[in-house]
Amino acid sequence: MSDPIPLQAPGGLAPLAASGFDDGTGHLAPVSAASPLPVTAVASSTSVPLDGTLTGSGLAGPFEPSGLDPVYCTLAGEFTGTVRVMRSLDGGATLHPLTASGLRWAEFGRPACEPAWIEGEQVASLWLDCTLASGTLAYRLAQ
């Protein structure tokens, strides 16, 4: 710190906290203007949202995620049925259900708005596999 902090009675002390990081030699490098935190700027997502409506069963896609931002799945409307987010590595010719520990993931039976997936492969695309018995579904996949 460039300017000393004056201490006043009665305690004559002041608590102090500082952040630091490994300087590459195993020593602490306090964060300062001369030694800022080592961070990397990441560009925001440039993906084009996928949105639309369905009144019957169908496949919507592709959504091509960019970067490692979460993909949000928003489903709205009065509908009866199931919507599953699917993943493809070949432009939609083969669709794979999303899973977590072997269990289905990102499968919905009612309106929702939540992060559904984070994609790391550039060739991957996401699709909505919609099996509707009735009603109208409004959908959106976006980052």
Side-chain angles (χ1 to χ4, degrees):
M1 294 191 280
S2 58
D3 296 327
I5 299 172
L7 296 177
Q8 297 183 358
L13 61 99
L16 180 63
S19 295
F21 58 94
D22 185 336
D23 68 357
T25 67
H27 294 92
L28 176 69
V31 174
S32 68
S35 180
L37 279 174
V39 297
T40 302
V42 178
S44 63
S45 173
T46 59
S47 63
V48 176
L50 169 70
D51 57 1
T53 58
L54 286 172
T55 55
S57 297
L59 189 63
F63 172 72
E64 297 171 342
S66 64
L68 293 173
D69 293 333
V71 175
Y72 281 82
C73 180
T74 303
L75 305 173
E78 296 288 330
F79 66 92
T80 303
T82 303
V83 178
R84 297 185 303 160
V85 180
M86 308 291 281
R87 182 175 186 260
S88 178
L89 297 173
D90 57 11
T94 308
L95 298 175
H96 305 280
L98 300 183
T99 59
S101 297
L103 301 175
R104 294 243 181 210
W105 182 259
E107 184 171 318
F108 306 94
R110 63 176 81 99
C113 180
E114 60 185 73
W117 194 249
I118 296 176
E119 184 55 62
E121 287 191 71
Q122 290 184 346
V123 298
S125 59
L126 299 178
W127 301 70
L128 292 177
D129 182 12
C130 308
T131 306
L132 300 182
S134 64
T136 300
L137 165 69
Y139 61 84
R140 179 177 171 89
L141 287 178
Q143 289 180 299

